[in-house]
Amino acid sequence: MFTLAEVASLNDIQPTYRILKPWWDVFMDYLAVVMLMVAIFAGTMQLTKDQVVCLPVLQSTVNSKAQPGMSGKADFTTVETTTGQGEDMSMRTVSFESASTVTPNVHLSRPASDQFQPPESGQQLKKEQKDSSGRKTNLDFQQYVFINQMCYHLALPWYSKYFPYLVLIHTIILIVSSNFWFKYPKTCSKIEHFVSILGKCFESPWTTKALSETACEDSEENKQRLTGAQSLPKYVSTSSDEGSPSANTAMITKSGFKFSADKPMIEVPSVTILDKKDGEQAKALFEKVRKFRAHVEDSDLIYKLYVGQTIIKTVKFIFILCYTANFVNTISFEHICNPKVEHLIGYTQFECTHNMAYMLKKLLISYISLICVYGFICLYTLFWLFRIPLKEYSFEKVREESSFSDIPDVKNDFAFLLHMVDQYDQLYSKRFGVFLSEVSENKLREISLNHEWTFEKLRQHVSRNAQDKQELHLFMLSGVPDAVFDLTDLDVLKLELIPEAKIPAKISQMTNLQELHLCHCPAKVEQTAFSFLRDHLRCLHVKFTDVAEIPAWVYLLKNLRELYLIGNLNSENNKMIGLESLRELRHLKILYVKSNLTKIPPNITDVAPHLTKLVILNDGTKLVVLNSLKKMTNVAELELQNCELERIPHAIFSLSNLQELDLKSNSIRTIEEIISFQHLKRLTCLKLWHNKIVNIPSSITHIRNLESLYLSNNKLESLPAAVFSLQKLRCLDVSYNSIALIPAEIGLLQNLQHFYITGNKIDTLPKQLFKCVKLRTLCLGQNCITSIPDKVSQLLQLTHLELKGNCLEYLPATLGQCQLLRKSGLVVEDHLFDTLPSKVKEMLNQDTSIPFANGI
């Protein structure tokens, strides 16, 4: 035998799953337990006390019915035999006066015709009637046991015999149907994961703190409404409101920050204080919720399975009710049995009684009542399942009651699970929604960030850059720590890979800040912070992957002087639309674009009237359309690097104010158009390095004001005399070519200060080279020079001399007469340096405060 507890365990689920059991499932579980009790009680009673008692129907009774004219009294004698476990066998004689003919006691071996004998005297009959109390059948005990068992199986209806087992089987099927979605592998894993995450979200300290903070913010807003707008002093811009961001500009228009006149500070409720351990656990929960949502929202298997098992239970209820109701009347106390064993018993018909009939009938009625209630609940469940779309769940109420207005609506199995949880307790969904909100996640990151990055820690990361400015570089953080804006003496702020960067109004106290770097950091600014940046920011660097990463407020900084844009501006989707707002940058002087342009964006001409320097650094993409350059008449410096140019663009010749031109890393082979540079009277610097130029045309003499000429890393084999007619030339760089000879005309360049001819095929140095007495830098490395003339002593202003990589055997002692030359400026092998006299070496080793000047 099995106990009730063992059977009830089939209906038992993990306690954590109870949050997914609505009231109807719980009620049906209890009904199933009651039905189990009915089945077990009926089965126990049937196994221990169920029995059938049968008595033969004597032939005299039949005969009396056949001969109604016969008179007199007859005794109907029966013997009742009771059987049971542990009971003694007993026989009892019962007398009936219903028959008109007296049937004497006979033996089974006698024929039936001999059973009727003529009566004796009346006194003997009366004596016999007086002595006996019933009629005897002469059946022994084994025959009664046999006939009782035969009639139990033949006379009783099958439902009376198997009712407890049917109830047990039906109940087990209903229990399995109710909890199958908890056991099915493909749904069990999702449910288990969901319940685990839901429990952690409900118990997480961050949930309580976030909801409490919402309440604090609501009370603060009400307080601010009462006190008025004076409680939030804003930064007062020195310029007009022109250039303020429009409504569609990505800014933070509502701030939770307060400022006082003495010290700007942030009022954070005390509930935001979160332990580091709790903060890390909450961060992990946000990630788990995000992944679980992406996994569960893809399918609706849980919903379909729950609907399916509910339909199965409803069909099961209808089936049970239909066939069970028909068997209520079949359960009876009395039954007629015709076992057809007359050759063994001697009787053809028996009348039997079923002692459990009344009990089974009561239990059956109770079971029908329970199954009806169960069925009506199943019908209600189906009504609930199809009344509203359970594959959609809205957090609208939570959004209205909290500050987390960005909690998204969910769908499919995720939505269905939340609907089921709401039937248990709606507080679970409300607390769970906190971990679906990006605002909530950002608040958590902000709190954790401020705990980690204190003012002292940030101060340790401040350094000085090449321009001797205080610089702070923040990399891959979840946000911008509040303590950053307490560094009031900071000059440069670099924010890299901070996707949720927010610049609050507190930045207005950083009065020294003039340069800002945003590397893959689409920062949002508050209105007050924007006003400050618009008036004070002078230099801005923006590095991006997609043009959408460029904050919209960047194009409204009307006092900006320098703008550096590094990223993709030529994709099919972008179409360079991100530069259309440059017209607002009315004071922009320098524009640097590192991208993959095929043409100069027309919108750059919006800043043409005041733009003085334009740099376009391509990634090897060929720059084809350059007509926009003609409108930039005020550009003084132009750089077109790595643009796959094959010739000098004609549009450049229209830039009358051009002073410096850099066409580095292109594919220029010929520069015959250089004669057109004679119209550019202000051109002083021409950089054609890292190209494929073979020769220099003699028309270069027309660029009379040229002061710097860079032709390194080309394919030059000689230097024409026309180059040395440029009397104003101060810097000449022809290094890394194939030049074998330095012409004697080089002595004509009396203003030459920097001469670079490294990496060529020079073997001798002309004496005229040392007539360039203003030379400060002379690079002769990686050539074939065998000796240095003593006339090197004429270069009194020489500060840098490179001789390494030649075929020299010694250095002239006259180097000691170059008073400004020091060992740090002498690039030569150590063994050659040792060939100098000791006095010369001592002089070269002396310290000097004269800075090294390099023209490159």
Side-chain angles (χ1 to χ4, degrees):
M1 285 293 294
F2 43 79
T3 63
L4 178 62
E6 292 173 344
V7 178
S9 64
L10 295 172
N11 194 35
D12 188 24
I13 59 173
Q14 298 182 16
T16 52
Y17 286 1
R18 297 191 185 278
I19 59 176
L20 294 177
K21 301 281 285 186
W23 68 265
W24 51 83
D25 279 353
V26 175
F27 194 54
M28 284 192 287
D29 288 344
Y30 281 113
L31 287 176
V33 172
V34 175
M35 286 188 283
L36 275 178
M37 294 175 64
V38 170
I40 294 173
F41 177 72
T44 304
M45 293 292 292
Q46 193 174 46
L47 290 174
T48 57
K49 295 185 178 182
D50 191 25
Q51 61 185 356
V52 172
V53 178
C54 298
L55 292 177
V57 179
L58 299 180
Q59 189 66 30
S60 59
T61 306
V62 180
N63 294 337
S64 63
K65 293 179 180 179
Q67 300 176 7
M70 297 181 61
S71 62
K73 296 182 178 179
D75 290 335
F76 185 79
T77 304
T78 61
V79 178
E80 180 180 354
T81 303
T82 60
T83 60
Q85 296 179 357
E87 294 184 358
D88 295 335
M89 179 178 60
S90 61
M91 298 181 65
R92 184 161 57 93
T93 303
V94 183
S95 176
F96 298 93
E97 297 182 354
S98 58
S100 59
T101 305
V102 178
T103 304
N105 294 334
V106 294
H107 295 284
L108 289 175
S109 59
R110 297 173 60 185
S113 60
D114 296 339
Q115 293 179 5
F116 298 96
Q117 301 292 336
E120 299 180 359
S121 62
Q123 293 179 355
Q124 185 180 357
L125 180 60
K126 292 179 180 179
K127 184 178 178 180
E128 186 177 358
Q129 292 177 351
K130 184 176 180 181
D131 294 339
S132 62
S133 58
R135 301 184 65 185
K136 296 181 179 180
T137 60
N138 292 328
L139 294 176
D140 56 17
F141 175 73
Q142 288 79 5
Q143 291 172 325
Y144 276 107
V145 173
F146 174 76
I147 200 63
N148 287 343
Q149 293 179 356
M150 286 288 295
C151 290
Y152 181 82
H153 292 285
L154 296 177
L156 288 186
W158 69 272
Y159 196 77
S160 298
K161 294 179 289 185
Y162 302 112
F163 161 70
Y165 309 106
L166 289 174
V167 173
L168 180 62
I169 293 173
H170 292 325
T171 306
I172 292 175
I173 292 175
L174 293 176
I175 290 174
V176 172
S177 299
S178 294
N179 299 287
F180 185 70
W181 68 313
F182 292 123
K183 306 297 183 181
Y184 186 59
K186 291 186 178 180
T187 58
C188 176
S189 59
K190 294 180 181 180
I191 294 173
E192 188 174 334
H193 197 186
F194 173 75
V195 172
S196 174
I197 294 176
L198 185 64
K200 292 178 181 178
C201 292
F202 188 84
E203 297 173 358
S204 174
W206 170 246
T207 311
T208 303
K209 296 178 187 299
L211 294 176
S212 301
E213 186 174 354
T214 298
C216 292
E217 289 178 355
D218 293 341
S219 61
E220 280 295 329
E221 289 180 0
N222 294 333
K223 189 175 180 181
Q224 290 175 10
R225 293 191 192 100
L226 295 175
T227 56
Q230 292 80 6
S231 61
L232 281 172
K234 295 183 177 179
Y235 169 79
V236 179
S237 174
T238 57
S239 63
S240 62
D241 293 337
E242 187 178 3
S244 297
S246 60
N248 56 359
T249 303
M251 293 194 178
I252 304 174
T253 58
K254 181 179 179 181
S255 173
F257 301 97
K258 288 188 174 183
F259 296 89
S260 62
D262 298 330
K263 182 180 179 181
M265 59 181 297
I266 302 175
E267 290 189 1
V268 181
S270 60
V271 293
T272 58
I273 300 176
L274 196 68
D275 295 338
K276 184 177 181 179
K277 182 179 179 181
D278 294 337
E280 293 300 324
Q281 290 177 349
K283 288 181 181 178
L285 275 178
F286 273 106
E287 187 64 24
K288 286 183 179 180
V289 170
R290 188 181 298 109
K291 291 182 178 179
F292 177 77
R293 179 189 174 193
H295 175 61
V296 175
E297 275 193 316
D298 291 339
S299 67
D300 57 352
L301 178 61
I302 298 177
Y303 171 77
K304 290 180 178 179
L305 188 60
Y306 187 84
V307 172
Q309 71 183 29
T310 305
I311 294 176
I312 291 174
K313 289 189 293 183
T314 306
V315 173
K316 187 70 175 176
F317 146 71
I318 296 173
F319 171 72
I320 294 173
L321 189 62
C322 290
Y323 88 87
T324 304
N326 295 330
F327 292 108
V328 175
N329 296 326
T330 61
I331 299 178
S332 175
F333 179 75
E334 297 180 358
H335 299 278
I336 300 298
C337 177
N338 298 302
K340 296 181 181 180
V341 289
E342 184 180 354
H343 62 287
L344 297 176
I345 305 299
Y347 297 95
T348 59
Q349 190 175 57
F350 294 85
E351 187 169 348
C352 305
T353 60
H354 186 202
N355 65 332
M356 287 292 296
Y358 293 109
M359 178 62 71
L360 291 177
K361 194 165 188 176
K362 299 297 182 185
L363 291 175
L364 178 57
I365 294 174
S366 301
Y367 175 67
I368 293 175
S369 301
L370 292 173
I371 203 67
C372 286
V373 176
Y374 194 97
F376 285 127
I377 296 177
C378 288
L379 293 175
Y380 174 81
T381 305
L382 288 176
F383 168 74
W384 179 78
L385 286 172
F386 297 108
R387 180 175 60 92
I388 57 176
L390 296 182
K391 291 196 293 185
E392 298 176 1
Y393 189 90
S394 175
F395 285 95
E396 183 177 358
K397 187 175 181 181
V398 181
R399 292 193 291 262
E400 292 175 355
E401 294 178 355
S402 66
S403 62
F404 307 126
S405 58
D406 66 321
I407 301 178
D409 295 337
V410 296
K411 59 182 180 179
N412 289 336
D413 281 344
F414 199 7
F416 176 69
L417 291 173
L418 290 174
H419 279 294
M420 297 295 284
V421 170
D422 281 349
Q423 300 302 316
Y424 183 83
D425 190 349
Q426 293 185 353
L427 184 59
Y428 277 91
S429 298
K430 181 177 180 180
R431 297 174 75 91
F432 189 77
V434 173
F435 287 89
L436 290 171
S437 169
E438 291 186 4
V439 174
S440 173
E441 186 174 7
N442 293 338
K443 284 186 178 181
L444 174 63
R445 290 176 178 174
E446 181 181 346
I447 292 171
S448 302
L449 186 69
N450 292 332
H451 273 82
E452 180 181 0
W453 291 87
T454 60
F455 178 83
E456 292 75 15
K457 184 176 180 178
L458 288 170
R459 175 59 70 181
Q460 294 175 359
H461 285 74
V462 176
S463 61
R464 288 195 173 272
N465 58 15
Q467 290 77 29
D468 197 30
K469 294 182 179 180
Q470 292 197 48
E471 178 181 299
L472 176 62
H473 186 190
L474 299 178
F475 178 73
M476 289 187 69
L477 298 181
S478 58
V480 182
D482 293 338
V484 169
F485 307 105
D486 293 330
L487 302 172
T488 55
D489 55 347
L490 201 64
D491 299 312
V492 182
L493 177 60
K494 291 184 177 182
L495 306 176
E496 185 173 359
L497 292 175
I498 305 179
E500 299 296 333
K502 296 180 181 178
I503 302 178
K506 196 176 179 181
I507 196 175
S508 59
Q509 63 186 9
M510 302 177 69
T511 54
N512 290 339
L513 184 65
Q514 293 189 352
E515 185 174 342
L516 179 63
H517 293 247
L518 301 176
C519 300
H520 303 286
C521 180
K524 298 180 181 180
V525 299
E526 296 179 4
Q527 180 64 41
T528 305
F530 168 75
S531 299
F532 172 81
L533 294 175
R534 181 186 58 191
D535 295 338
H536 288 78
L537 199 62
R538 296 294 180 266
C539 180
L540 178 63
H541 295 249
V542 182
K543 188 175 182 179
F544 54 90
T545 302
D546 189 89
V547 71
E549 295 180 20
I550 304 177
W553 53 268
V554 167
Y555 305 106
L556 303 175
L557 302 174
K558 61 180 184 180
N559 286 329
L560 195 66
R561 300 292 190 273
E562 302 177 20
L563 177 60
Y564 297 81
L565 300 176
I566 304 174
N568 185 5
L569 287 173
N570 195 39
S571 66
E572 295 180 359
N573 296 330
N574 294 334
K575 297 181 181 179
M576 298 172 291
I577 58 174
L579 301 179
E580 63 183 1
S581 299
L582 289 178
R583 62 177 65 93
E584 299 293 335
L585 307 179
R586 301 173 182 175
H587 295 88
L588 190 65
K589 300 296 183 182
I590 299 175
L591 178 59
Y592 177 97
V593 181
K594 183 178 180 180
S595 184
N596 55 346
L597 300 176
T598 57
K599 63 179 181 179
I600 296 180
N603 299 317
I604 291 182
T605 59
D606 296 334
V607 295
H610 41 81
L611 195 66
T612 60
K613 182 176 181 180
L614 174 62
V615 178
I616 296 180
L617 178 58
N618 259 10
D619 60 353
T621 303
K622 188 172 184 179
L623 190 62
V624 180
V625 182
L626 297 168
N627 294 331
S628 299
L629 289 176
K630 296 180 179 180
K631 301 179 180 180
M632 301 181 185
T633 55
N634 292 325
V635 170
E637 298 181 32
L638 177 62
E639 296 183 18
L640 302 175
Q641 299 185 17
N642 204 17
C643 297
E644 287 297 316
L645 299 176
E646 297 180 356
R647 306 180 73 91
I648 300 176
H650 291 278
I652 296 176
F653 306 138
S654 302
L655 305 179
S656 56
N657 290 316
L658 190 64
Q659 298 178 13
E660 180 178 334
L661 176 61
D662 188 351
L663 299 178
K664 180 182 178 181
S665 300
N666 284 283
S667 300
I668 300 176
R669 298 179 179 274
T670 176
I671 52 175
E672 296 297 333
E673 302 90 346
I674 203 170
I675 190 173
S676 300
F677 281 133
Q678 62 182 333
H679 304 294
L680 305 180
K681 303 297 183 181
R682 299 185 179 182
L683 185 63
T684 58
C685 180
L686 179 59
K687 297 180 179 180
L688 299 173
W689 45 0
H690 296 270
N691 279 280
K692 301 177 181 180
I693 301 173
V694 177
N695 55 56
I696 303 174
S698 58
S699 57
I700 195 173
T701 57
H702 295 91
I703 315 177
R704 301 184 181 278
N705 294 322
L706 198 62
E707 297 180 1
S708 301
L709 178 60
Y710 295 85
L711 292 168
S712 63
N713 295 91
N714 278 281
K715 297 182 178 181
L716 299 176
E717 296 182 356
S718 62
L719 291 176
V723 173
F724 306 107
S725 64
L726 303 173
Q727 296 297 322
K728 295 183 179 181
L729 200 63
R730 295 188 301 169
C731 178
L732 177 61
D733 183 3
V734 290
S735 55
Y736 299 103
N737 281 279
S738 300
I739 301 173
L741 178 67
I742 300 177
E745 290 84 355
I746 193 172
L748 300 176
L749 302 177
Q750 293 297 312
N751 292 315
L752 190 63
Q753 298 180 11
H754 308 281
F755 182 46
Y756 306 90
I757 197 168
T758 303
N760 281 277
K761 300 178 181 180
I762 306 298
D763 53 1
T764 58
L765 297 177
K767 297 180 180 180
Q768 290 82 358
L769 174 63
F770 303 102
K771 292 183 179 180
C772 303
V773 295
K774 293 184 179 181
L775 272 176
R776 302 178 62 185
T777 303
L778 180 59
C779 294
L780 303 172
Q782 301 180 34
N783 280 282
C784 302
I785 302 174
T786 56
S787 63
I788 303 296
D790 293 337
K791 290 188 176 182
V792 69
S793 60
Q794 298 178 7
L795 306 178
L796 300 179
Q797 298 185 19
L798 191 65
T799 59
H800 182 78
L801 177 61
E802 179 185 350
L803 298 173
K804 192 173 183 178
N806 283 282
C807 302
L808 299 173
E809 296 181 357
Y810 65 93
L811 295 178
T814 53
L815 280 177
Q817 299 180 21
C818 300
Q819 300 177 358
L820 301 180
L821 185 63
R822 294 294 178 265
K823 185 178 180 181
S824 59
L826 179 60
V827 183
V828 69
E829 290 85 352
D830 293 337
H831 71 277
L832 290 177
F833 182 80
D834 293 337
T835 60
L836 293 171
S838 58
K839 291 183 179 180
V840 176
K841 289 192 290 185
E842 290 178 1
M843 186 195 71
L844 293 175
N845 286 324
Q846 291 179 0
D847 294 333
T848 179
S849 58
I850 299 177
F852 163 68
N854 194 340
I856 298 182

